[in-house]
mmCIF file of all heavy atoms in Angstrom:
data_model
loop_
_atom_site.group_PDB
_atom_site.id
_atom_site.type_symbol
_atom_site.label_atom_id
_atom_site.label_comp_id
_atom_site.label_asym_id
_atom_site.label_seq_id
_atom_site.Cartn_x
_atom_site.Cartn_y
_atom_site.Cartn_z
ATOM 1 N N MET A 1 0.848 -1.200 0.000
ATOM 2 C CA MET A 1 0.000 0.000 0.000
ATOM 3 C C MET A 1 0.878 1.242 0.000
ATOM 4 O O MET A 1 1.823 1.332 0.757
ATOM 5 C CB MET A 1 -0.914 -0.014 1.238
ATOM 6 C CG MET A 1 -1.978 1.042 1.171
ATOM 7 S SD MET A 1 -3.298 0.750 2.354
ATOM 8 C CE MET A 1 -2.689 1.709 3.727
ATOM 9 N N GLU A 2 0.541 2.164 -0.839
ATOM 10 C CA GLU A 2 1.320 3.385 -0.948
ATOM 11 C C GLU A 2 1.020 4.325 0.215
ATOM 12 O O GLU A 2 -0.126 4.533 0.578
ATOM 13 C CB GLU A 2 0.972 4.091 -2.262
ATOM 14 C CG GLU A 2 1.813 5.331 -2.476
ATOM 15 C CD GLU A 2 2.583 5.275 -3.795
ATOM 16 O OE1 GLU A 2 2.673 4.210 -4.420
ATOM 17 O OE2 GLU A 2 3.092 6.307 -4.179
ATOM 18 N N MET A 3 2.069 4.888 0.792
ATOM 19 C CA MET A 3 1.890 5.827 1.888
ATOM 20 C C MET A 3 2.039 7.253 1.374
ATOM 21 O O MET A 3 2.937 7.546 0.585
ATOM 22 C CB MET A 3 2.916 5.545 2.988
ATOM 23 C CG MET A 3 2.663 4.211 3.689
ATOM 24 S SD MET A 3 3.790 3.910 5.065
ATOM 25 C CE MET A 3 5.329 3.607 4.201
ATOM 26 N N ASP A 4 1.173 8.127 1.854
ATOM 27 C CA ASP A 4 1.190 9.503 1.379
ATOM 28 C C ASP A 4 2.363 10.288 1.961
ATOM 29 O O ASP A 4 2.693 10.168 3.133
ATOM 30 C CB ASP A 4 -0.106 10.217 1.782
ATOM 31 C CG ASP A 4 -1.287 9.745 0.967
ATOM 32 O OD1 ASP A 4 -1.074 9.273 -0.166
ATOM 33 O OD2 ASP A 4 -2.412 9.857 1.459
ATOM 34 N N LYS A 5 2.940 11.131 1.119
ATOM 35 C CA LYS A 5 3.898 12.126 1.604
ATOM 36 C C LYS A 5 3.118 13.334 2.110
ATOM 37 O O LYS A 5 2.015 13.622 1.642
ATOM 38 C CB LYS A 5 4.838 12.552 0.470
ATOM 39 C CG LYS A 5 5.724 11.435 -0.040
ATOM 40 C CD LYS A 5 6.591 11.964 -1.173
ATOM 41 C CE LYS A 5 7.437 10.847 -1.773
ATOM 42 N NZ LYS A 5 8.236 11.318 -2.916
ATOM 43 N N TYR A 6 3.726 14.041 3.043
ATOM 44 C CA TYR A 6 3.100 15.252 3.568
ATOM 45 C C TYR A 6 4.061 16.413 3.496
ATOM 46 O O TYR A 6 5.265 16.253 3.658
ATOM 47 C CB TYR A 6 2.629 15.030 5.008
ATOM 48 C CG TYR A 6 1.256 14.377 5.056
ATOM 49 C CD1 TYR A 6 1.106 13.022 4.781
ATOM 50 C CD2 TYR A 6 0.124 15.138 5.330
ATOM 51 C CE1 TYR A 6 -0.143 12.430 4.794
ATOM 52 C CE2 TYR A 6 -1.123 14.547 5.344
ATOM 53 C CZ TYR A 6 -1.257 13.196 5.076
ATOM 54 O OH TYR A 6 -2.497 12.620 5.083
ATOM 55 N N VAL A 7 3.508 17.609 3.232
ATOM 56 C CA VAL A 7 4.323 18.801 3.035
ATOM 57 C C VAL A 7 4.069 19.797 4.151
ATOM 58 O O VAL A 7 2.922 20.057 4.523
ATOM 59 C CB VAL A 7 3.972 19.465 1.682
ATOM 60 C CG1 VAL A 7 4.834 20.703 1.459
ATOM 61 C CG2 VAL A 7 4.164 18.478 0.540
ATOM 62 N N CYS A 8 5.156 20.374 4.672
ATOM 63 C CA CYS A 8 5.025 21.458 5.643
ATOM 64 C C CYS A 8 4.674 22.743 4.893
ATOM 65 O O CYS A 8 5.415 23.147 3.996
ATOM 66 C CB CYS A 8 6.330 21.639 6.407
ATOM 67 S SG CYS A 8 6.317 23.089 7.475
ATOM 68 N N PRO A 9 3.555 23.381 5.228
ATOM 69 C CA PRO A 9 3.145 24.586 4.494
ATOM 70 C C PRO A 9 4.006 25.790 4.816
ATOM 71 O O PRO A 9 3.980 26.791 4.108
ATOM 72 C CB PRO A 9 1.699 24.812 4.964
ATOM 73 C CG PRO A 9 1.634 24.181 6.312
ATOM 74 C CD PRO A 9 2.609 23.014 6.285
ATOM 75 N N ILE A 10 4.797 25.715 5.874
ATOM 76 C CA ILE A 10 5.620 26.854 6.272
ATOM 77 C C ILE A 10 6.963 26.854 5.556
ATOM 78 O O ILE A 10 7.380 27.855 4.984
ATOM 79 C CB ILE A 10 5.849 26.854 7.799
ATOM 80 C CG1 ILE A 10 4.503 26.767 8.551
ATOM 81 C CG2 ILE A 10 6.643 28.087 8.222
ATOM 82 C CD1 ILE A 10 3.563 27.917 8.276
ATOM 83 N N CYS A 11 7.660 25.702 5.590
ATOM 84 C CA CYS A 11 9.025 25.690 5.074
ATOM 85 C C CYS A 11 9.212 24.792 3.858
ATOM 86 O O CYS A 11 10.271 24.796 3.250
ATOM 87 C CB CYS A 11 9.996 25.275 6.180
ATOM 88 S SG CYS A 11 9.921 23.512 6.591
ATOM 89 N N GLY A 12 8.175 24.019 3.527
ATOM 90 C CA GLY A 12 8.286 23.186 2.340
ATOM 91 C C GLY A 12 8.903 21.824 2.578
ATOM 92 O O GLY A 12 9.088 21.052 1.637
ATOM 93 N N TYR A 13 9.222 21.520 3.833
ATOM 94 C CA TYR A 13 9.749 20.185 4.146
ATOM 95 C C TYR A 13 8.730 19.126 3.746
ATOM 96 O O TYR A 13 7.533 19.298 3.940
ATOM 97 C CB TYR A 13 10.029 20.099 5.647
ATOM 98 C CG TYR A 13 10.249 18.687 6.156
ATOM 99 C CD1 TYR A 13 11.489 18.073 6.028
ATOM 100 C CD2 TYR A 13 9.211 17.982 6.778
ATOM 101 C CE1 TYR A 13 11.694 16.790 6.500
ATOM 102 C CE2 TYR A 13 9.407 16.691 7.261
ATOM 103 C CZ TYR A 13 10.652 16.096 7.116
ATOM 104 O OH TYR A 13 10.842 14.833 7.584
ATOM 105 N N VAL A 14 9.223 18.034 3.144
ATOM 106 C CA VAL A 14 8.343 16.942 2.761
ATOM 107 C C VAL A 14 8.624 15.734 3.654
ATOM 108 O O VAL A 14 9.767 15.272 3.725
ATOM 109 C CB VAL A 14 8.555 16.555 1.282
ATOM 110 C CG1 VAL A 14 7.677 15.355 0.917
ATOM 111 C CG2 VAL A 14 8.241 17.737 0.374
ATOM 112 N N TYR A 15 7.593 15.262 4.330
ATOM 113 C CA TYR A 15 7.738 14.022 5.089
ATOM 114 C C TYR A 15 7.501 12.846 4.160
ATOM 115 O O TYR A 15 6.401 12.681 3.635
ATOM 116 C CB TYR A 15 6.761 13.959 6.267
ATOM 117 C CG TYR A 15 6.895 12.623 6.992
ATOM 118 C CD1 TYR A 15 7.958 12.400 7.840
ATOM 119 C CD2 TYR A 15 6.002 11.577 6.755
ATOM 120 C CE1 TYR A 15 8.137 11.167 8.454
ATOM 121 C CE2 TYR A 15 6.171 10.339 7.368
ATOM 122 C CZ TYR A 15 7.238 10.144 8.214
ATOM 123 O OH TYR A 15 7.414 8.918 8.810
ATOM 124 N N ASP A 16 8.546 12.047 3.958
ATOM 125 C CA ASP A 16 8.451 10.878 3.094
ATOM 126 C C ASP A 16 8.422 9.634 3.978
ATOM 127 O O ASP A 16 9.409 9.320 4.649
ATOM 128 C CB ASP A 16 9.661 10.840 2.159
ATOM 129 C CG ASP A 16 9.589 9.679 1.163
ATOM 130 O OD1 ASP A 16 8.767 8.756 1.366
ATOM 131 O OD2 ASP A 16 10.352 9.702 0.182
ATOM 132 N N PRO A 17 7.287 8.929 4.016
ATOM 133 C CA PRO A 17 7.165 7.761 4.893
ATOM 134 C C PRO A 17 8.231 6.703 4.636
ATOM 135 O O PRO A 17 8.621 5.977 5.554
ATOM 136 C CB PRO A 17 5.764 7.210 4.564
ATOM 137 C CG PRO A 17 5.037 8.350 3.956
ATOM 138 C CD PRO A 17 6.072 9.188 3.263
ATOM 139 N N GLU A 18 8.718 6.622 3.415
ATOM 140 C CA GLU A 18 9.738 5.626 3.115
ATOM 141 C C GLU A 18 11.064 5.957 3.806
ATOM 142 O O GLU A 18 11.872 5.083 4.045
ATOM 143 C CB GLU A 18 9.945 5.526 1.608
ATOM 144 C CG GLU A 18 8.755 4.895 0.895
ATOM 145 C CD GLU A 18 9.031 4.692 -0.593
ATOM 146 O OE1 GLU A 18 10.179 4.883 -1.017
ATOM 147 O OE2 GLU A 18 8.084 4.362 -1.309
ATOM 148 N N GLN A 19 11.266 7.217 4.102
ATOM 149 C CA GLN A 19 12.511 7.630 4.740
ATOM 150 C C GLN A 19 12.328 7.913 6.219
ATOM 151 O O GLN A 19 13.291 7.859 6.988
ATOM 152 C CB GLN A 19 13.051 8.886 4.044
ATOM 153 C CG GLN A 19 13.337 8.624 2.576
ATOM 154 C CD GLN A 19 14.128 9.749 1.934
ATOM 155 O OE1 GLN A 19 14.593 10.663 2.585
ATOM 156 N NE2 GLN A 19 14.278 9.672 0.621
ATOM 157 N N GLY A 20 11.105 8.228 6.633
ATOM 158 C CA GLY A 20 10.862 8.565 8.027
ATOM 159 C C GLY A 20 11.613 9.820 8.436
ATOM 160 O O GLY A 20 11.907 10.681 7.602
ATOM 161 N N ASP A 21 11.930 9.892 9.709
ATOM 162 C CA ASP A 21 12.672 11.034 10.248
ATOM 163 C C ASP A 21 13.618 10.489 11.317
ATOM 164 O O ASP A 21 13.432 10.714 12.512
ATOM 165 C CB ASP A 21 11.673 12.045 10.844
ATOM 166 C CG ASP A 21 12.374 13.281 11.372
ATOM 167 O OD1 ASP A 21 13.559 13.507 11.044
ATOM 168 O OD2 ASP A 21 11.737 14.033 12.135
ATOM 169 N N PRO A 22 14.630 9.731 10.842
ATOM 170 C CA PRO A 22 15.508 9.004 11.771
ATOM 171 C C PRO A 22 16.169 9.879 12.821
ATOM 172 O O PRO A 22 16.389 9.446 13.938
ATOM 173 C CB PRO A 22 16.563 8.377 10.838
ATOM 174 C CG PRO A 22 15.918 8.341 9.486
ATOM 175 C CD PRO A 22 14.989 9.526 9.453
ATOM 176 N N GLU A 23 16.472 11.115 12.468
ATOM 177 C CA GLU A 23 17.124 12.007 13.428
ATOM 178 C C GLU A 23 16.226 12.303 14.620
ATOM 179 O O GLU A 23 16.677 12.744 15.668
ATOM 180 C CB GLU A 23 17.525 13.326 12.743
ATOM 181 C CG GLU A 23 18.676 13.135 11.779
ATOM 182 C CD GLU A 23 19.120 14.464 11.169
ATOM 183 O OE1 GLU A 23 18.876 15.513 11.782
ATOM 184 O OE2 GLU A 23 19.687 14.429 10.068
ATOM 185 N N HIS A 24 14.937 12.089 14.439
ATOM 186 C CA HIS A 24 13.992 12.357 15.525
ATOM 187 C C HIS A 24 13.277 11.082 15.962
ATOM 188 O O HIS A 24 12.173 11.134 16.494
ATOM 189 C CB HIS A 24 12.996 13.439 15.095
ATOM 190 C CG HIS A 24 13.667 14.743 14.791
ATOM 191 N ND1 HIS A 24 14.136 15.081 13.533
ATOM 192 C CD2 HIS A 24 13.993 15.789 15.602
ATOM 193 C CE1 HIS A 24 14.714 16.279 13.597
ATOM 194 N NE2 HIS A 24 14.637 16.727 14.820
ATOM 195 N N GLY A 25 13.900 9.965 15.698
ATOM 196 C CA GLY A 25 13.387 8.698 16.220
ATOM 197 C C GLY A 25 12.269 8.082 15.410
ATOM 198 O O GLY A 25 11.605 7.162 15.878
ATOM 199 N N ILE A 26 12.056 8.592 14.185
ATOM 200 C CA ILE A 26 11.012 8.030 13.339
ATOM 201 C C ILE A 26 11.659 7.085 12.323
ATOM 202 O O ILE A 26 12.419 7.523 11.455
ATOM 203 C CB ILE A 26 10.235 9.137 12.603
ATOM 204 C CG1 ILE A 26 9.739 10.204 13.583
ATOM 205 C CG2 ILE A 26 9.077 8.527 11.810
ATOM 206 C CD1 ILE A 26 8.805 9.682 14.664
ATOM 207 N N ALA A 27 11.358 5.818 12.439
ATOM 208 C CA ALA A 27 11.987 4.828 11.576
ATOM 209 C C ALA A 27 11.453 4.923 10.155
ATOM 210 O O ALA A 27 10.280 5.271 9.945
ATOM 211 C CB ALA A 27 11.726 3.436 12.125
ATOM 212 N N PRO A 28 12.307 4.630 9.164
ATOM 213 C CA PRO A 28 11.819 4.543 7.782
ATOM 214 C C PRO A 28 10.661 3.554 7.690
ATOM 215 O O PRO A 28 10.674 2.522 8.359
ATOM 216 C CB PRO A 28 13.043 4.031 7.010
ATOM 217 C CG PRO A 28 14.216 4.454 7.834
ATOM 218 C CD PRO A 28 13.739 4.390 9.264
ATOM 219 N N GLY A 29 9.662 3.909 6.899
ATOM 220 C CA GLY A 29 8.493 3.048 6.766
ATOM 221 C C GLY A 29 7.354 3.440 7.691
ATOM 222 O O GLY A 29 6.346 2.754 7.742
ATOM 223 N N THR A 30 7.524 4.550 8.418
ATOM 224 C CA THR A 30 6.467 5.017 9.319
ATOM 225 C C THR A 30 5.511 5.927 8.555
ATOM 226 O O THR A 30 5.920 6.973 8.051
ATOM 227 C CB THR A 30 7.072 5.798 10.503
ATOM 228 O OG1 THR A 30 7.985 4.956 11.203
ATOM 229 C CG2 THR A 30 5.969 6.265 11.453
ATOM 230 N N ALA A 31 4.252 5.516 8.467
ATOM 231 C CA ALA A 31 3.265 6.342 7.777
ATOM 232 C C ALA A 31 3.013 7.630 8.552
ATOM 233 O O ALA A 31 3.135 7.665 9.783
ATOM 234 C CB ALA A 31 1.951 5.577 7.633
ATOM 235 N N PHE A 32 2.665 8.675 7.824
ATOM 236 C CA PHE A 32 2.396 9.960 8.472
ATOM 237 C C PHE A 32 1.356 9.805 9.573
ATOM 238 O O PHE A 32 1.470 10.392 10.651
ATOM 239 C CB PHE A 32 1.908 10.960 7.408
ATOM 240 C CG PHE A 32 1.671 12.342 7.965
ATOM 241 C CD1 PHE A 32 2.718 13.238 8.116
ATOM 242 C CD2 PHE A 32 0.394 12.749 8.318
ATOM 243 C CE1 PHE A 32 2.506 14.513 8.631
ATOM 244 C CE2 PHE A 32 0.168 14.022 8.826
ATOM 245 C CZ PHE A 32 1.224 14.905 8.979
ATOM 246 N N GLU A 33 0.363 8.992 9.296
ATOM 247 C CA GLU A 33 -0.714 8.786 10.268
ATOM 248 C C GLU A 33 -0.219 8.123 11.546
ATOM 249 O O GLU A 33 -0.876 8.201 12.584
ATOM 250 C CB GLU A 33 -1.824 7.930 9.652
ATOM 251 C CG GLU A 33 -2.607 8.629 8.553
ATOM 252 C CD GLU A 33 -1.891 8.618 7.199
ATOM 253 O OE1 GLU A 33 -0.801 8.012 7.100
ATOM 254 O OE2 GLU A 33 -2.409 9.225 6.248
ATOM 255 N N ASP A 34 0.933 7.462 11.456
ATOM 256 C CA ASP A 34 1.449 6.740 12.616
ATOM 257 C C ASP A 34 2.505 7.520 13.387
ATOM 258 O O ASP A 34 3.094 7.018 14.340
ATOM 259 C CB ASP A 34 2.057 5.405 12.154
ATOM 260 C CG ASP A 34 0.980 4.452 11.631
ATOM 261 O OD1 ASP A 34 -0.176 4.589 12.065
ATOM 262 O OD2 ASP A 34 1.298 3.582 10.803
ATOM 263 N N LEU A 35 2.752 8.763 12.972
ATOM 264 C CA LEU A 35 3.713 9.580 13.706
ATOM 265 C C LEU A 35 3.193 9.852 15.110
ATOM 266 O O LEU A 35 1.982 9.945 15.324
ATOM 267 C CB LEU A 35 3.926 10.916 12.980
ATOM 268 C CG LEU A 35 4.695 10.835 11.659
ATOM 269 C CD1 LEU A 35 4.644 12.187 10.949
ATOM 270 C CD2 LEU A 35 6.138 10.427 11.904
ATOM 271 N N PRO A 36 4.094 10.010 16.067
ATOM 272 C CA PRO A 36 3.664 10.365 17.428
ATOM 273 C C PRO A 36 2.942 11.712 17.444
ATOM 274 O O PRO A 36 3.200 12.573 16.600
ATOM 275 C CB PRO A 36 4.979 10.461 18.221
ATOM 276 C CG PRO A 36 6.058 9.974 17.333
ATOM 277 C CD PRO A 36 5.534 9.877 15.931
ATOM 278 N N GLU A 37 2.062 11.866 18.414
ATOM 279 C CA GLU A 37 1.261 13.102 18.500
ATOM 280 C C GLU A 37 2.146 14.337 18.609
ATOM 281 O O GLU A 37 1.766 15.409 18.176
ATOM 282 C CB GLU A 37 0.350 13.036 19.722
ATOM 283 C CG GLU A 37 -0.640 11.887 19.657
ATOM 284 C CD GLU A 37 -2.066 12.380 19.562
ATOM 285 O OE1 GLU A 37 -2.335 13.497 20.069
ATOM 286 O OE2 GLU A 37 -2.894 11.679 18.975
ATOM 287 N N ASP A 38 3.324 14.152 19.212
ATOM 288 C CA ASP A 38 4.157 15.328 19.456
ATOM 289 C C ASP A 38 5.203 15.556 18.362
ATOM 290 O O ASP A 38 6.075 16.390 18.505
ATOM 291 C CB ASP A 38 4.839 15.217 20.825
ATOM 292 C CG ASP A 38 5.742 13.976 20.908
ATOM 293 O OD1 ASP A 38 5.738 13.157 19.959
ATOM 294 O OD2 ASP A 38 6.439 13.836 21.921
ATOM 295 N N TRP A 39 5.080 14.804 17.257
ATOM 296 C CA TRP A 39 6.023 15.025 16.162
ATOM 297 C C TRP A 39 5.760 16.383 15.526
ATOM 298 O O TRP A 39 4.609 16.787 15.318
ATOM 299 C CB TRP A 39 5.894 13.912 15.114
ATOM 300 C CG TRP A 39 6.919 14.029 14.021
ATOM 301 C CD1 TRP A 39 8.188 13.554 14.030
ATOM 302 C CD2 TRP A 39 6.743 14.691 12.758
ATOM 303 N NE1 TRP A 39 8.823 13.878 12.848
ATOM 304 C CE2 TRP A 39 7.965 14.572 12.053
ATOM 305 C CE3 TRP A 39 5.682 15.385 12.156
ATOM 306 C CZ2 TRP A 39 8.143 15.110 10.777
ATOM 307 C CZ3 TRP A 39 5.873 15.920 10.881
ATOM 308 C CH2 TRP A 39 7.086 15.774 10.209
ATOM 309 N N VAL A 40 6.832 17.095 15.237
ATOM 310 C CA VAL A 40 6.719 18.393 14.567
ATOM 311 C C VAL A 40 7.696 18.435 13.405
ATOM 312 O O VAL A 40 8.612 17.609 13.312
ATOM 313 C CB VAL A 40 7.027 19.565 15.529
ATOM 314 C CG1 VAL A 40 5.989 19.623 16.645
ATOM 315 C CG2 VAL A 40 8.431 19.452 16.106
ATOM 316 N N CYS A 41 7.500 19.397 12.517
ATOM 317 C CA CYS A 41 8.428 19.580 11.405
ATOM 318 C C CYS A 41 9.846 19.741 11.945
ATOM 319 O O CYS A 41 10.082 20.558 12.833
ATOM 320 C CB CYS A 41 8.016 20.819 10.595
ATOM 321 S SG CYS A 41 9.207 21.235 9.285
ATOM 322 N N PRO A 42 10.796 18.964 11.418
ATOM 323 C CA PRO A 42 12.163 19.031 11.930
ATOM 324 C C PRO A 42 12.843 20.361 11.652
ATOM 325 O O PRO A 42 13.858 20.672 12.258
ATOM 326 C CB PRO A 42 12.882 17.880 11.212
ATOM 327 C CG PRO A 42 11.995 17.468 10.095
ATOM 328 C CD PRO A 42 10.604 17.909 10.429
ATOM 329 N N TYR A 43 12.290 21.147 10.750
ATOM 330 C CA TYR A 43 12.926 22.415 10.405
ATOM 331 C C TYR A 43 12.290 23.623 11.078
ATOM 332 O O TYR A 43 12.971 24.542 11.496
ATOM 333 C CB TYR A 43 12.927 22.616 8.887
ATOM 334 C CG TYR A 43 13.831 21.643 8.194
ATOM 335 C CD1 TYR A 43 13.319 20.520 7.551
ATOM 336 C CD2 TYR A 43 15.209 21.822 8.207
ATOM 337 C CE1 TYR A 43 14.151 19.599 6.935
ATOM 338 C CE2 TYR A 43 16.055 20.912 7.600
ATOM 339 C CZ TYR A 43 15.522 19.812 6.961
ATOM 340 O OH TYR A 43 16.341 18.891 6.367
ATOM 341 N N CYS A 44 10.964 23.642 11.174
ATOM 342 C CA CYS A 44 10.325 24.846 11.699
ATOM 343 C C CYS A 44 9.338 24.551 12.826
ATOM 344 O O CYS A 44 8.646 25.456 13.276
ATOM 345 C CB CYS A 44 9.640 25.614 10.571
ATOM 346 S SG CYS A 44 8.187 24.777 9.905
ATOM 347 N N ASN A 45 9.286 23.299 13.271
ATOM 348 C CA ASN A 45 8.452 22.935 14.422
ATOM 349 C C ASN A 45 6.959 23.110 14.199
ATOM 350 O O ASN A 45 6.188 23.241 15.153
ATOM 351 C CB ASN A 45 8.884 23.718 15.664
ATOM 352 C CG ASN A 45 10.258 23.295 16.152
ATOM 353 O OD1 ASN A 45 10.667 22.149 15.958
ATOM 354 N ND2 ASN A 45 10.985 24.209 16.739
ATOM 355 N N THR A 46 6.529 23.133 12.951
ATOM 356 C CA THR A 46 5.095 23.135 12.678
ATOM 357 C C THR A 46 4.502 21.781 13.077
ATOM 358 O O THR A 46 5.069 20.746 12.743
ATOM 359 C CB THR A 46 4.851 23.383 11.176
ATOM 360 O OG1 THR A 46 5.256 24.707 10.852
ATOM 361 C CG2 THR A 46 3.377 23.202 10.812
ATOM 362 N N PRO A 47 3.399 21.785 13.825
ATOM 363 C CA PRO A 47 2.811 20.505 14.233
ATOM 364 C C PRO A 47 2.333 19.681 13.047
ATOM 365 O O PRO A 47 1.943 20.220 12.004
ATOM 366 C CB PRO A 47 1.633 20.920 15.128
ATOM 367 C CG PRO A 47 1.441 22.381 14.927
ATOM 368 C CD PRO A 47 2.690 22.947 14.326
ATOM 369 N N ALA A 48 2.363 18.363 13.231
ATOM 370 C CA ALA A 48 1.957 17.454 12.165
ATOM 371 C C ALA A 48 0.542 17.754 11.688
ATOM 372 O O ALA A 48 0.214 17.566 10.515
ATOM 373 C CB ALA A 48 2.061 16.005 12.657
ATOM 374 N N SER A 49 -0.301 18.243 12.608
ATOM 375 C CA SER A 49 -1.696 18.505 12.249
ATOM 376 C C SER A 49 -1.830 19.613 11.213
ATOM 377 O O SER A 49 -2.869 19.747 10.562
ATOM 378 C CB SER A 49 -2.499 18.862 13.504
ATOM 379 O OG SER A 49 -1.954 19.993 14.140
ATOM 380 N N SER A 50 -0.768 20.427 11.053
ATOM 381 C CA SER A 50 -0.816 21.515 10.074
ATOM 382 C C SER A 50 -0.245 21.119 8.728
ATOM 383 O O SER A 50 -0.303 21.887 7.777
ATOM 384 C CB SER A 50 -0.045 22.734 10.609
ATOM 385 O OG SER A 50 -0.695 23.272 11.725
ATOM 386 N N MET A 51 0.349 19.919 8.664
ATOM 387 C CA MET A 51 0.918 19.477 7.399
ATOM 388 C C MET A 51 -0.182 19.155 6.387
ATOM 389 O O MET A 51 -1.291 18.784 6.744
ATOM 390 C CB MET A 51 1.781 18.238 7.639
ATOM 391 C CG MET A 51 2.965 18.509 8.532
ATOM 392 S SD MET A 51 4.472 18.626 7.579
ATOM 393 C CE MET A 51 5.684 18.854 8.869
ATOM 394 N N MET A 52 0.166 19.297 5.126
ATOM 395 C CA MET A 52 -0.803 19.037 4.062
ATOM 396 C C MET A 52 -0.316 17.848 3.247
ATOM 397 O O MET A 52 0.866 17.686 3.009
ATOM 398 C CB MET A 52 -0.918 20.277 3.159
ATOM 399 C CG MET A 52 -1.352 21.518 3.933
ATOM 400 S SD MET A 52 -1.190 23.011 2.929
ATOM 401 C CE MET A 52 -2.449 22.701 1.704
ATOM 402 N N SER A 53 -1.277 17.035 2.803
ATOM 403 C CA SER A 53 -0.864 15.870 2.007
ATOM 404 C C SER A 53 -0.265 16.338 0.687
ATOM 405 O O SER A 53 -0.714 17.311 0.095
ATOM 406 C CB SER A 53 -2.035 14.927 1.781
ATOM 407 O OG SER A 53 -2.857 15.382 0.743
ATOM 408 N N PHE A 54 0.774 15.642 0.277
ATOM 409 C CA PHE A 54 1.480 15.987 -0.950
ATOM 410 C C PHE A 54 0.497 16.002 -2.119
ATOM 411 O O PHE A 54 0.521 16.884 -2.967
ATOM 412 C CB PHE A 54 2.585 14.965 -1.188
ATOM 413 C CG PHE A 54 3.610 15.388 -2.190
ATOM 414 C CD1 PHE A 54 4.533 16.372 -1.886
ATOM 415 C CD2 PHE A 54 3.660 14.792 -3.440
ATOM 416 C CE1 PHE A 54 5.501 16.766 -2.805
ATOM 417 C CE2 PHE A 54 4.622 15.174 -4.376
ATOM 418 C CZ PHE A 54 5.535 16.156 -4.050
ATOM 419 N N ALA A 55 -0.414 15.041 -2.147
ATOM 420 C CA ALA A 55 -1.372 14.952 -3.242
ATOM 421 C C ALA A 55 -2.251 16.199 -3.306
ATOM 422 O O ALA A 55 -2.531 16.724 -4.382
ATOM 423 C CB ALA A 55 -2.230 13.707 -3.083
ATOM 424 N N SER A 56 -2.678 16.701 -2.143
ATOM 425 C CA SER A 56 -3.559 17.860 -2.151
ATOM 426 C C SER A 56 -2.816 19.109 -2.599
ATOM 427 O O SER A 56 -3.360 19.982 -3.270
ATOM 428 C CB SER A 56 -4.171 18.090 -0.763
ATOM 429 O OG SER A 56 -3.220 18.580 0.151
ATOM 430 N N VAL A 57 -1.536 19.186 -2.243
ATOM 431 C CA VAL A 57 -0.741 20.340 -2.650
ATOM 432 C C VAL A 57 -0.463 20.324 -4.145
ATOM 433 O O VAL A 57 -0.518 21.336 -4.830
ATOM 434 C CB VAL A 57 0.592 20.377 -1.869
ATOM 435 C CG1 VAL A 57 1.516 21.475 -2.400
ATOM 436 C CG2 VAL A 57 0.333 20.596 -0.382
ATOM 437 N N MET A 58 -0.176 19.137 -4.660
ATOM 438 C CA MET A 58 0.216 19.019 -6.057
ATOM 439 C C MET A 58 -0.992 18.855 -6.992
ATOM 440 O O MET A 58 -0.858 18.729 -8.188
ATOM 441 C CB MET A 58 1.157 17.818 -6.249
ATOM 442 C CG MET A 58 2.423 17.931 -5.412
ATOM 443 S SD MET A 58 3.290 19.492 -5.616
ATOM 444 C CE MET A 58 4.122 19.200 -7.175
ATOM 445 N N GLY A 59 -2.168 18.841 -6.412
ATOM 446 C CA GLY A 59 -3.366 18.767 -7.221
ATOM 447 C C GLY A 59 -3.600 17.412 -7.845
ATOM 448 O O GLY A 59 -4.238 17.283 -8.873
ATOM 449 N N GLY A 60 -3.079 16.406 -7.240
ATOM 450 C CA GLY A 60 -3.333 15.128 -7.812
ATOM 451 C C GLY A 60 -3.128 14.036 -6.806
ATOM 452 O O GLY A 60 -3.273 12.886 -7.102
HETATM 453 ZN ZN1 LIG B 101 8.421 23.145 8.354
#
């Protein structure tokens, strides 16, 4: 099953589930939906709840 990428609307960081966020304890293969509640953008600390799905941003 394909996992959605998510984009930070503030800084443009893209969360790629295939890569995770190892520097912050998120293992590769972690779906955005499975991120911890307190996960934030690694660059600008925007909460995960403010991230937008890559598909919605790219119009497809
Ligand atoms: Zn950000």
